[in-house]
Amino acid sequence: MTLACRKLSPHPQSSARQHSGPWLVWLHGLLGSGEDWLPVAELCGDIPSLLIDLPGHGNSVALTTTSFEDISRQLSETLQANGIREYWLAGYSLGGRIAMFHACYGNPVGLQGLLVEGGNLGLESDELREARFQQDCQWAQRFRHEPLPQVLTDWYQQAVFADLDSQQREQLVAERANNHGPAVADMLEATSLGHQPWLLPALQRLNVPYTYLCGERDHKFQQLARQYPLPLRTLARAGHNAHRANPGAFAAQVLSFLSQSSFSPPSR
């Protein structure tokens, strides 16, 4: 496969030729697309944004990836192809896990800082990783072989989405039903928590600033952030998908983080 075919599909909000400073690069969650970030990106002032479609999603539906290492390389190639030399990397859920891996184990040349929303740090034992991989494989089989609305109805019953009411669940099922089930399944298996390293030690060694954003009703990931501890920023009136529930508060936290981080910009 050529490099051109392996680049992720972006939704640029600005032109790299018109901006010499750092960009905001956004990575969505499983079943989403780069456009999920549009309400937040539009509230981030004049900072240009690159809204990326991950493999198997949106305009990257025909693109595959094999591992966290592979998608980190794809991300680097996409940034290079778009002329982005300095950037802040923001990711939600699966996108947050990819962002953390890229910052910790990829080749993050030009990375200025990391913003993670509800991203899992990984699992600490081989037994837990194997169990999670088997669970993700079961979901993947359903995504491949069952009607997508039926699978999504069960998907959004998981505990992490407990803050959603029935109307919000129905809306998400309707929106996400335009995905291609087999492509989602491939991505789910390639980026399973069962394949992800335990990221906390590497995060603690990062030489760029990072923050961890979490909705006030996302009890699972708030507990995780306080347990280790992570530099937590809490979003009011929001659960696991905080940027969707409260884009204004999310954008305000992003701008606050960027402002504080810009006083002494780190280098790679």
Side-chain angles (χ1 to χ4, degrees):
M1 185 179 291
T2 66
L3 291 181
C5 291
R6 290 177 56 76
K7 291 194 291 289
L8 308 171
S9 181
H11 302 265
Q13 296 303 107
S14 181
S15 169
R17 288 187 293 271
Q18 298 172 356
H19 185 82
S20 58
W23 282 55
L24 270 166
V25 177
W26 306 89
L27 305 180
H28 61 81
L30 191 75
L31 297 163
S33 76
E35 290 186 348
D36 291 352
W37 287 110
L38 193 55
V40 174
E42 290 179 338
L43 293 171
C44 287
D46 296 328
I47 304 171
S49 286
L50 196 75
L51 284 57
I52 287 178
D53 287 346
L54 293 173
H57 295 74
N59 292 328
S60 297
V61 66
L63 182 67
T64 59
T65 197
T66 60
S67 64
F68 282 95
E69 292 84 355
D70 193 29
I71 197 170
S72 179
R73 287 191 294 269
Q74 290 171 309
L75 176 58
S76 294
E77 293 165 7
T78 303
L79 296 173
Q80 183 178 8
N82 283 273
I84 297 176
R85 298 181 178 179
E86 294 183 332
Y87 62 101
W88 291 289
L89 188 57
Y92 160 66
S93 195
L94 169 61
R97 297 196 286 119
I98 292 169
M100 287 187 288
F101 182 91
H102 180 74
C104 292
Y105 294 111
N107 184 29
V109 175
L111 181 65
Q112 303 298 297
L114 181 66
L115 302 97
V116 178
E117 178 193 357
N120 200 312
L121 300 181
L123 302 170
E124 294 186 72
S125 72
D126 291 339
E127 291 77 14
L128 289 173
R129 283 189 285 271
E130 177 60 26
R132 179 54 184 260
F133 181 64
Q134 294 304 321
Q135 178 184 338
D136 286 342
C137 285
Q138 292 174 6
W139 278 112
Q141 287 300 98
R142 294 195 62 189
F143 277 116
R144 285 192 181 98
H145 301 297
E146 297 181 26
L148 207 50
Q150 177 179 316
V151 184
L152 292 172
T153 297
D154 292 338
W155 179 265
Y156 288 113
Q157 292 294 331
Q158 295 181 92
V160 71
F161 302 113
D163 65 289
L164 300 176
D165 60 31
S166 58
Q167 183 178 358
Q168 291 170 324
R169 286 192 176 91
E170 289 174 6
Q171 184 177 357
L172 277 169
V173 169
E175 289 179 11
R176 303 316 195 197
N178 63 354
N179 277 282
H180 182 55
V184 172
D186 290 346
M187 184 63 169
L188 178 58
E189 288 177 340
T191 58
S192 168
L193 267 179
H195 294 322
Q196 179 182 311
W198 173 239
L199 294 172
L200 181 63
L203 272 179
Q204 293 171 333
R205 295 192 298 268
L206 277 184
N207 62 352
V208 297
Y210 76 97
T211 191
Y212 195 87
L213 301 117
C214 192
E216 67 178 357
R217 296 196 292 268
D218 189 352
H219 303 299
K220 173 182 176 179
F221 285 94
Q222 278 201 62
Q223 180 180 359
L224 181 149
R226 292 183 171 122
Q227 179 179 354
Y228 286 109
L230 303 174
L232 177 64
R233 291 171 180 254
T234 304
L235 282 298
R237 303 187 305 280
H240 183 58
N241 196 332
H243 71 273
R244 177 187 175 97
N246 197 342
F250 195 95
Q253 290 285 13
V254 170
L255 292 173
S256 171
F257 171 75
L258 298 191
S259 175
Q260 294 172 14
S261 302
S262 296
F263 289 117
S264 54
S267 59
R268 278 271 174 181

